[in-house]
Amino acid sequence: MIRENKLYDELQVGDTASLKRVCTANDLYVFAHASGNLNPLHLPNDEHDNLEAVAPSMWIGALFSSVLGNILPGPGTLYRAQTLSFLDRAHVGDELNIEVTVKEKKPDNIVLLDTRVTGRGGDRIAEGMAEVLAPVRKVRIEDTDMPELLVQQHQHFDKLLDRAEALEPLITAVAAPEEENSLGGAMLAAKHGIITPILIGNRAAIEAAARAEGEDLTGIEIIETENHGMAAAKAVELAHTGQAGAVMKGHMHTSDLLAHVVKKDGGLRTGRRLSHVFVMDVPGLDHMLIVSDAAVNIMPDLEAKVDITQNAIDMALSLGVEQPKVGVLSAIETVNPKIQSTLDAAALSKMADRGQIRGGIVDGPLAMDNAMDVEAAKTKGITSLVAGRAEVLIVPNLESGNMLAKELAFVAHAEAAGVALGASVPIILTSRSDGEKARLASCAIAALYRDWRIKGGQ
């Protein structure tokens, strides 16, 4: 659309222009960054329903410039003054009408305009008078899309936490929570009612970590062990005997814990291979993204990838995805006998068609672009229920999966929750670099998965 401004001589008293704008949560976050106004009434969060978040009055006032600068008088207009009266409040979700009307033309190119914003039911929210300098030369501009702003929110995880907090706390054996981060993650999940932790390890180190974190361990069961190996063995024993419904890694190497998980006698083996699942909340993506396997299976063969894929589908189902769309990744989207990952991907896709992998729609090989972007898939002529819409990504090997997950976390600012599946209980694997929300989300997805299994999930 081409917009043309109006010069001083072209303006008539009574000329009117308007725009409509829906107030969004992102508008409030962006305004908070720009203004520095961190009033919690203006910041949608867990304590204030987004539909009731109050738009800052000065954000409302700023909307007048959109009409003045774009339509009337249009491009080239400069503000001289603005009076404002705020008569009501706008909220996230409200559609606002911003209107300006020429009231008076004064000497020296000065124009006065009535300004008003109306909202729910036509009620006036703000009104005032703008004094502007009309444009001095004719300008025609084409409407262009502004670059999108990435607002770093993790609303998908917020919903998972709400669901997990509604469940009975998951009794969780925490192996060696002997420093602040590992203990803090377990205690934070306990405060949210997601888990009931049993702390296993060196009591003195656990209590020292609690003092450093300001945590009160009153009422928390602590089981003393001599070393990390014994802590891992005890945590697995509690799960093996049904005294715990999950195992959580504390301040120890993942391999030391998993060695006890997969041991033949007294371990947590099932008929399925153990694999790691990252559940990622990526800002700007309208659904959660699952990446597997990025932490356990180094160079999985086809048989291992069947279990990796099934574990990832099961996780998606437990999180409420009705029929997960699974993209099996490779460097290219065509089958090439020289690239083993393309052969594996094609086999996994056909196995899903034959019911050997259940619960999801599996397609591959897909490259990352046409797995995630519909236009990229169309450009390459790929017609698929998965291409461009993948909710689960199965990677060729641990290296590629680990790099993908960390790129999403550190470049795209995703939060990543991680568990290992394929054992008789979920294994919560957190990293020292995880933030609070990631630690909470890891416990939440373990609780939701465990609940799904108990209620009949395969």
Side-chain angles (χ1 to χ4, degrees), residues 42-61:
H42 303 319
L43 296 175
N45 55 45
D46 293 337
E47 297 178 3
H48 300 282
D49 191 322
N50 282 4
L51 292 178
E52 293 303 318
V54 179
S57 295
M58 291 307 295
W59 177 80
I60 299 292

Side-chain angles (χ1 to χ4, degrees), residues 57-356:
S57 295
M58 291 307 295
W59 177 80
I60 299 292
L63 297 178
F64 294 129
S65 64
S66 65
V67 184
L68 296 170
N70 294 332
I71 306 175
L72 188 72
T77 301
L78 293 174
Y79 250 125
R80 281 173 54 91
Q82 173 77 56
T83 63
L84 288 169
S85 295
F86 300 105
L87 311 175
D88 202 350
R89 303 297 175 190
H91 301 77
V92 169
D94 286 353
E95 183 180 70
L96 306 176
N97 186 65
I98 308 103
E99 184 177 345
V100 305
T101 302
V102 176
K103 181 179 181 181
E104 182 182 351
K105 297 174 65 177
K106 301 177 73 172
D108 300 323
N109 233 37
I110 296 172
V111 181
L112 301 182
L113 301 99
D114 283 321
T115 55
R116 56 200 154 273
V117 173
T118 55
R120 297 175 176 177
D123 294 338
R124 289 199 175 194
I125 293 174
E127 62 184 16
M129 181 73 66
E131 181 179 311
V132 303
L133 288 174
V136 296
R137 61 185 179 86
K138 205 67 176 173
V139 175
R140 294 177 179 85
I141 63 171
E142 183 176 358
D143 279 351
T144 56
D145 292 331
M146 289 290 290
E148 291 188 9
L149 294 177
L150 178 64
V151 177
Q152 189 174 330
Q153 299 181 67
H154 299 100
Q155 297 174 340
H156 302 306
F157 276 5
D158 292 339
K159 294 175 182 177
L160 291 184
L161 294 176
D162 288 342
R163 287 181 54 202
E165 288 171 3
L167 302 175
E168 287 294 319
L170 177 63
I171 299 175
T172 302
V174 187
E178 297 170 355
E179 52 80 53
E180 292 94 323
N181 287 332
S182 57
L183 177 65
M187 295 302 294
L188 186 61
K191 290 174 184 176
H192 280 258
I194 296 173
I195 71 170
T196 297
I198 301 173
L199 308 180
I200 306 165
N202 182 287
R203 178 182 288 271
I206 293 171
E207 291 176 344
R211 287 192 296 272
E213 279 286 285
E215 295 286 357
D216 182 3
L217 298 182
T218 302
I220 303 294
E221 182 178 359
I222 301 176
I223 298 176
E224 175 85 30
T225 61
E226 293 181 6
N227 54 53
H228 286 178
M230 294 179 66
K234 186 62 178 179
V236 169
E237 177 190 331
L238 292 178
H240 180 76
T241 58
Q243 298 176 70
V247 172
M248 184 174 184
K249 180 176 79 76
H251 187 54
M252 65 188 311
H253 294 297
T254 298
S255 58
D256 292 340
L257 176 59
L258 296 185
H260 289 275
V261 170
V262 300
K263 63 187 179 184
K264 291 184 178 180
D265 296 325
L268 304 175
R269 284 178 175 237
T270 65
R272 194 180 293 177
R273 181 182 289 263
L274 195 73
S275 65
H276 184 271
V277 177
F278 270 125
V279 178
M280 311 201 76
D281 191 340
V282 185
L285 195 62
D286 62 2
H287 58 80
M288 288 176 293
L289 185 65
I290 290 175
V291 178
S292 188
D293 179 347
V296 174
N297 293 280
I298 298 173
M299 191 64 69
D301 58 15
L302 177 60
E303 185 178 7
K305 288 181 180 178
V306 171
D307 286 347
I308 289 170
T309 304
Q310 190 65 65
N311 284 340
I313 290 173
D314 287 353
M315 172 55 74
L317 291 170
S318 74
L319 300 182
V321 182
E322 290 186 8
Q323 192 174 37
K325 301 177 186 68
V326 182
V328 187
L329 297 183
S330 184
I332 58 176
E333 61 281 344
T334 55
V335 176
N336 185 333
K338 295 181 180 180
I339 304 178
Q340 183 62 42
S341 61
T342 68
L343 300 175
D344 291 347
L348 291 169
S349 179
K350 181 55 66 176
M351 293 173 78
D353 290 343
R354 300 287 174 86
Q356 293 172 267

